[in-house]
Amino acid sequence: MQQNTSAIDRRKFLKLSGITGTGFLIGLNRGLANTVVTGYFQPGADVYEFTPLINIEKSGTITIFNTRPEIGQGTWQAVPSMIAEELEVSLDQVTIVQTGGEKKYGPTQWVGGSSSVRGAYTDLRKTGASAKEMLQKAASIKWNVPFEECYAANGKIFHKPSGKSLGYGELAEAASKLEVPAAPKLKDPKDFKILGKATPRPDVPLKSSGRAVFGIDASTPGMVYASIERCPVMGSKLVSFDDSATKNVKGVLQVVKSERIVGIYRYETIAVIAENYWAALQGRKALKVKWDYQGRESFNSKNFETKLRSLSSQEGLLDHSQGDFEKSFSAAAIKLEAFYETPFVSHSPIEPMNCLASWTAGNKLEIWTSTQVPGDVVSGTAKEFAIPEDNITLHTLFNGGAFGRRLINDYIYEAVDISKKISKPVKVIWTREDDTQQGPFRPLTFSAMKAGLSADGKAIAFQHKVIAPSLEATLEKNHDKTKVNKTMTEAISEQKYEIPNMKNTYVAADFDMPLLYWRAVTSTTLAFAHECFIDEMAVKAKKDPLDYRLGMVKKSSDTEKLLRKLKEVSNWNKKLPAGWGRGVAQYEFFAGLCGQVVEVSKKGKGIKIEKVYAVIDMGTIVNPDTVKGQVEGAIVMAISAAIKSGITFDKGQTMQTNFHNNPVLRINEMPVVEVHIIADGGEVIKGAGEPGLPPLAPALCNAIFAATGKRIRRLPFDINNI
Amino acid sequence: MNKQITVTVNGTEHTLEVEPRLLLVHMIREVLNLTGTHIGCDTTSCGACTILLDGKSVKSCTILAVQADGKSIKTIEGVSAEGQLDSLQEGFHLNHGLHCGFCTPGMIMRATELLENNPNPTEEEIRWGISGNLCRCTGYNNIVKAIQYASAKNRGVETASTEPEFV
Ligand code: FES
Ligand code: FES
């Protein structure tokens, strides 16, 4: 068994690592084998294009272009799989090439919102199916036999009656000249060979052998390094700087003023350029800089939070209203109110921000980087630096995590600006401190909750008022403050609970630093308030929290099915050992739907997370292993955000610097996770990357309440001291 | 003043002129161009830079290049020949042991030493053994499985892993 596996491994590895001897996978890191990006892709002779996403060469080589950058979520496999399935080839038989924002590859060159599969499932299958039909037609013409007597399998077209066959390479030229079928026939899912199957990812051999190239690994001849000094009080004005000591550091080449463009902000910066990264860092440390903080040094978390609490008395902008909340609330037999608080958090992907840019004569620009948005890197850079898009070549390399951080181009513009100024290829690398301190951050949200229940505990009135800074206000100059920023009220009005009187509102708080989408965005904080409060209502109603939800939820909705499944797989009614407790939560939002049951036990003064059961509702899936991995990864991220440090400010500066004071969960702290997938093959496909985050914190805190009677209403909290 | 050092890296001897304060990780990445060894924090927190120095796992961001003088270094690129996977790498592949993969080289170097010292570790021992290495993506459980797979394979034990279906 294992030998077999190795043999297949080896073939796959050879193909992907560019040492097949065919010569068209080009290493970009001085001879080291690696993955392929469009900028380095050199097709062989006689290549035929079937839609820009599929190339077939006369030699038989098949290339599939992946428009969705790999950030760890598995698109490197999932996206080509959807094409390959219908094209009747295995991923083993194709070369996967990552696109770099080129116009011809279309508008889907980005990843975010758990959208890569759900947004493309049918289209990409059609792409593969069209090419297959063209090849089949070409064969039937060549053999002069009916189209229906032919079929495709394993990269060949066969003639059923005679058994003769032709490889795709032999048919490519004739097939590529045929008309593209408008409505190609898609496979019956029961015949799938790739989709829906748990298959090892093709990028793992590369990544586990050090041969995958991440943005930070890129290099080009003549490259120099830059480390950039940015004011710790974001938004300050540069008064002056003294770089005499910097220039004495061996290896330092020059110091230039530059700029960080992030959302609506433009921050002045100082870049230290050196022969190597270490010298650039030392030179940067030797800078003496005078900043004018312009009053921003008075900003701190404590006052800001007090402000948010006081803003909760404001009416706010209406997100959603049904029935008459005020009247039903004041008439309710049982009333409850609670206030929930959450922190700012950093994205902290393990690969620090970086970009290599080379601005050369004639305003030509080459960029190597880790990014979620190749399309936007090209168009955004062209606009920002006033050059034609065609002048830009972008190499989209593997991302060492992203979680939303790599949706904006601030670190890319830095490298481009510096390269333009010094006329050399320059690699900008952020330190972990830069990454932790400079944002953009996921905004915090505070929530003022109210509910009115009837005497028998039925929910009749409900309010979720969100008090928070506006994320979009820091990203868009023309943001309209008179309208609800839907990102800040994400899905609070879309849960499937049927409560007759509801009023959800949003109070905007002023905040003047860069904010950004984080994996599952504000659903991660709003679900905490929403689902813990539903639990509080269940307690007041003296009902089992899961049954209480089931009693309220829209009948036959996906949420109802999910909760029933969760009840079953978590053995909800089974008695737990003494000192244990379990809690449940679900949240449905733009990316999809997941519910979780968390089991905890008392341990000294603290709590141990024993087990997490997750059920994710998907509809249709490409790779169940990837889905499970994404949910588990979302859970670890959510636990970190719930029980580890968030981002706080004092004297206008971020207080956290690195993993020691902005920690993420370590392996010995990770609970057992059991993931169940609901995939009934429906037309509606939901996302996998994000939905696992929102339910964790409320399910955990509900479990802690069940075990200890202590209600947690503020994140993060110290799990070792409840 | 630069200092001359001699190091054996993945079996090949190199004589190099280095700055006395240059970190070993920068020497590996920028001078030797072995970019499989990563940097995630620069401050001993994350373990992305883990290598073997005379067979012992160390975080290469915490030692100077000159301290490696006369020693032998193994990086992720030296774990298996190009085109082949050792049992740990295979374990990561078959058990979906990574998402972004940035932490993986460090995990594998650390696990290599762990299995060297303790060929049949318990799950608890694996978790403690790897606890100096951060993974921001996976939730770790598949990393444990990957190491268990390698341990079993090294000892010639049939693993419980189901036959992987390859595409
Ligand atoms: S880079 Fe060395 S421990 Fe993080
Ligand atoms: S797989 Fe991304 S940090 Fe571990």
Side-chain angles (χ1 to χ4, degrees):
Chain A
M1 172 191 107
Q2 281 156 3
Q3 263 168 9
N4 240 342
T5 305
S6 311
I8 297 168
D9 264 346
R10 189 175 149 75
R11 257 199 346 267
K12 187 176 292 189
F13 182 84
L14 289 173
K15 177 155 289 204
L16 280 158
S17 61
I19 44 176
T20 50
T22 51
F24 53 78
L25 304 180
I26 307 296
L28 68 89
N29 207 351
R30 291 179 228 158
L32 268 188
N34 53 63
T35 177
V36 200
V37 291
T38 40
Y40 286 87
F41 175 67
Q42 294 185 349
D46 302 318
V47 54
Y48 302 99
E49 192 178 284
F50 289 72
T51 92
L53 298 182
I54 304 170
N55 274 2
I56 301 178
E57 293 167 31
K58 199 171 185 175
S59 66
T61 298
I62 300 165
T63 304
I64 295 180
F65 294 84
N66 174 32
T67 60
R68 304 285 195 168
E70 175 62 56
I71 59 176
Q73 83 291 41
T75 44
W76 182 258
Q77 176 187 45
V79 171
S81 291
M82 294 184 271
I83 296 175
E85 178 69 64
E86 297 287 346
L87 187 58
E88 293 294 357
V89 292
S90 74
L91 279 195
D92 237 13
Q93 294 170 291
V94 304
T95 303
I96 303 165
V97 178
Q98 174 63 54
T99 67
E102 297 88 346
K103 271 212 183 73
K104 70 185 275 199
Y105 299 115
T108 65
Q109 298 180 72
W110 61 281
V111 283
S114 307
S115 63
S116 298
V117 169
R118 66 189 170 99
Y121 192 74
T122 305
D123 283 353
L124 288 181
R125 284 175 59 203
K126 275 189 186 153
T127 299
S130 295
K132 186 200 73 183
E133 279 188 13
M134 289 156 81
L135 290 156
Q136 187 174 336
K137 182 123 191 245
S140 76
I141 293 169
K142 188 155 187 176
W143 291 327
N144 199 16
V145 299
F147 178 83
E148 294 72 26
E149 284 183 5
C150 306
Y151 68 95
N154 206 20
K156 285 183 186 156
I157 302 293
F158 291 85
H159 179 233
K160 207 170 191 174
S162 68
K164 63 187 167 188
S165 68
L166 281 169
Y168 285 180
E170 298 165 277
L171 295 163
E173 182 176 6
S176 67
K177 296 193 177 115
L178 298 172
E179 201 183 322
V180 179
K185 197 165 160 321
L186 295 180
K187 284 169 82 168
D188 185 328
K190 75 172 174 13
D191 298 326
F192 282 168
K193 298 191 185 81
I194 305 173
L195 300 182
K197 311 266 189 287
T199 47
R201 282 169 46 174
D203 50 340
V204 177
L206 283 172
K207 288 173 170 179
S208 61
S209 61
R211 290 177 177 96
V213 176
F214 293 86
I216 204 166
D217 301 331
S219 61
T220 193
M223 174 181 95
V224 295
Y225 292 80
S227 185
I228 300 175
E229 182 68 12
R230 306 170 190 84
C231 186
V233 179
M234 281 186 268
S236 301
K237 239 186 105 50
L238 178 61
V239 179
S240 64
F241 67 92
D242 172 3
D243 59 4
S244 47
T246 299
K247 288 191 167 144
N248 287 333
V249 173
K250 193 164 174 263
V252 168
L253 300 167
Q254 66 189 109
V255 178
V256 295
K257 278 217 288 191
S258 182
E259 180 181 42
R260 176 180 178 214
I261 305 159
V262 51
I264 61 169
Y265 302 105
R266 302 183 92 100
Y267 294 152
E268 295 177 282
T269 64
I270 306 154
V272 176
I273 322 295
E275 286 165 0
N276 57 69
Y277 181 53
W278 184 81
L281 270 180
Q282 301 312 306
R284 177 179 164 195
K285 279 184 195 147
L287 280 174
K288 291 192 189 75
V289 193
K290 259 208 192 117
W291 300 100
D292 176 1
Y293 299 145
Q294 299 179 306
R296 289 164 181 272
E297 71 276 21
S298 65
F299 182 80
N300 64 58
S301 288
K302 209 164 164 269
N303 292 348
F304 183 63
E305 289 176 5
T306 307
K307 172 91 185 294
L308 292 185
R309 286 178 206 118
S310 73
L311 283 175
S312 69
S313 61
Q314 289 193 5
E315 179 62 25
L317 301 162
L318 191 63
D319 182 66
H320 173 80
S321 166
Q322 63 194 40
D324 187 336
F325 170 78
E326 261 83 26
K327 210 168 126 200
S328 55
F329 180 71
S330 64
I334 305 170
K335 292 188 187 57
L336 61 163
E337 293 188 37
F339 199 75
Y340 284 84
E341 305 185 346
T342 64
F344 291 98
V345 293
S346 62
H347 299 78
S348 300
I350 199 104
E351 178 197 13
M353 297 305 111
N354 64 81
C355 178
L356 165 58
S358 178
W359 187 291
T360 49
N363 294 333
K364 293 270 194 250
L365 176 62
E366 198 167 354
I367 299 169
W368 298 254
T369 196
S370 310
T371 176
Q372 292 179 247
V373 288
D376 189 55
V377 169
V378 172
S379 58
T381 307
K383 213 164 134 212
E384 195 59 54
F385 293 88
I387 54 172
E389 289 186 20
D390 289 343
N391 284 19
I392 302 172
T393 305
L394 166 66
H395 307 286
T396 311
L397 300 172
F398 281 131
N399 286 251
F403 315 119
R405 175 62 184 89
R406 291 183 161 100
L407 284 168
I408 55 167
N409 303 331
D410 55 333
Y411 55 98
I412 294 161
Y413 298 159
E414 287 181 337
V416 173
D417 181 54
I418 297 166
S419 178
K420 186 180 176 188
K421 282 177 177 151
I422 68 172
S423 305
K424 279 186 191 129
V426 63
K427 178 146 84 172
V428 167
I429 303 176
W430 289 40
T431 63
R432 177 56 55 192
E433 284 75 11
D434 296 336
D435 187 78
T436 308
Q437 301 211 281
Q438 293 285 329
F441 305 108
R442 179 204 71 184
L444 53 68
T445 61
F446 283 15
S447 294
M449 313 297 297
K450 282 186 191 175
L453 315 181
S454 62
D456 61 352
K458 224 171 124 33
I460 47 174
F462 185 89
Q463 176 206 273
H464 189 156
K465 181 191 280 185
V466 181
I467 307 109
S470 160
L471 195 158
E472 267 89 10
T474 74
L475 284 179
E476 291 155 22
K477 277 204 182 76
N478 303 323
H479 177 70
D480 184 353
K481 280 187 179 175
T482 63
K483 297 222 172 69
V484 172
N485 181 346
K486 281 284 181 185
T487 301
M488 303 314 300
T489 57
E490 205 166 84
I492 58 172
S493 305
E494 282 141 43
Q495 303 310 306
K496 293 293 183 303
Y497 300 126
E498 295 185 304
I499 304 173
N501 305 288
M502 195 186 287
K503 184 174 158 193
N504 294 331
T505 57
Y506 169 59
V507 182
D510 287 336
F511 181 78
D512 205 12
M513 277 185 247
L515 298 173
L516 189 58
Y517 310 99
W518 194 77
R519 192 177 187 183
V521 202
T522 54
S523 292
T524 58
T525 56
L526 298 172
F528 167 63
H530 210 88
E531 282 288 296
C532 284
F533 192 64
I534 297 278
D535 233 59
E536 295 199 49
M537 290 157 61
V539 171
K540 271 267 191 285
K542 300 193 173 61
K543 296 264 162 56
D544 172 272
L546 206 155
D547 291 338
Y548 189 67
R549 285 172 169 83
L550 276 172
M552 244 193 314
V553 86
K554 190 164 180 253
K555 296 295 159 252
S556 313
S557 62
D558 289 350
T559 310
E560 190 199 13
K561 276 185 249 168
L562 181 101
L563 286 169
R564 289 202 188 285
K565 176 99 181 167
L566 201 50
K567 189 171 178 182
E568 170 204 321
V569 300
S570 70
N571 299 309
W572 179 262
N573 288 328
K574 199 171 152 207
K575 208 170 143 34
L576 288 173
W580 285 47
R582 56 161 74 90
V584 62
Q586 64 77 34
Y587 208 66
E588 182 167 24
F589 65 113
F590 71 85
L593 168 64
C594 182
Q596 290 164 15
V597 167
V598 175
E599 290 177 0
V600 302
S601 66
K602 283 200 258 191
K603 198 179 137 211
K605 280 196 292 183
I607 282 289
K608 179 168 184 241
I609 308 174
E610 297 283 352
K611 185 155 183 181
V612 181
Y613 297 89
V615 177
I616 182 163
D617 183 34
M618 294 292 299
T620 291
I621 47 173
V622 169
N623 184 342
D625 246 12
T626 304
V627 172
K628 285 184 182 170
Q630 283 303 300
V631 174
E632 188 166 314
I635 287 170
V636 69
M637 202 162 173
I639 299 176
S640 293
I643 67 171
K644 304 276 174 180
S645 170
I647 293 293
T648 54
F649 305 95
D650 194 26
K651 301 193 175 69
Q653 306 187 15
T654 307
M655 297 303 290
Q656 291 70 26
T657 54
N658 204 316
F659 289 123
H660 66 281
N661 54 13
N662 185 38
V664 303
L665 208 73
R666 288 183 186 272
I667 193 168
N668 51 315
E669 304 169 293
M670 181 68 190
V672 179
V673 174
E674 197 178 298
V675 181
H676 297 263
I677 303 169
I678 299 179
D680 36 26
E683 275 290 298
V684 180
I685 303 175
K686 294 181 184 171
E690 291 164 288
L693 265 137
L696 188 279
L700 171 62
C701 292
N702 293 340
I704 291 172
F705 178 81
T708 66
K710 176 129 195 227
R711 180 60 69 186
I712 292 164
R713 297 198 184 88
R714 181 178 161 91
L715 300 181
F717 63 94
D718 181 0
I719 197 158
N720 297 313
N721 196 4
I722 297 294
Chain B
M1 259 285 282
N2 281 1
K3 195 171 178 286
Q4 201 184 64
I5 61 166
T6 304
V7 285
T8 305
V9 182
N10 298 331
T12 309
E13 193 175 287
H14 296 264
T15 301
L16 305 162
E17 298 273 332
V18 296
E19 279 274 349
R21 285 173 300 163
L22 184 71
L23 295 174
L24 182 59
V25 67
H26 293 143
M27 183 191 93
I28 291 169
R29 286 180 56 82
E30 290 176 24
V31 181
L32 298 171
N33 203 35
L34 294 171
T35 54
T37 302
H38 294 142
I39 300 177
C41 70
D42 254 334
T43 54
T44 343
S45 290
C46 74
C49 63
T50 307
I51 54 134
L52 297 183
L53 189 62
D54 280 347
K56 265 187 67 74
S57 67
V58 293
K59 292 178 174 171
S60 62
C61 72
T62 62
I63 46 177
L64 301 171
V66 292
Q67 290 174 289
D69 191 17
K71 297 200 162 116
S72 120
I73 291 170
K74 190 167 176 178
T75 69
I76 187 68
E77 289 89 347
V79 167
S80 59
E82 277 201 48
Q84 281 166 15
L85 300 178
D86 88 337
S87 57
L88 271 167
Q89 293 168 326
E90 196 174 284
F92 273 76
H93 188 35
L94 299 182
N95 292 285
H96 197 163
L98 62 82
H99 291 180
C100 81
F102 201 74
C103 68
T104 312
M107 291 281 180
I108 288 179
M109 298 320 288
R110 178 74 195 104
T112 302
E113 189 201 22
L114 182 81
L115 293 182
E116 193 93 346
N117 295 338
N118 182 1
N120 189 13
T122 63
E123 180 175 338
E124 197 62 18
E125 285 169 335
I126 292 175
R127 286 182 184 268
W128 278 104
I130 303 292
S131 63
N133 290 57
L134 286 181
C135 176
R136 181 63 163 153
C137 306
T138 63
Y140 299 105
N141 293 331
N142 287 352
I143 296 176
V144 176
K145 282 188 210 152
I147 298 170
Q148 285 170 331
Y149 172 93
S151 161
K153 188 172 181 192
N154 293 350
R155 291 177 291 114
V157 177
E158 269 293 316
T159 55
S161 279
T162 47
E163 175 81 12
E165 288 174 81
F166 277 86
V167 291

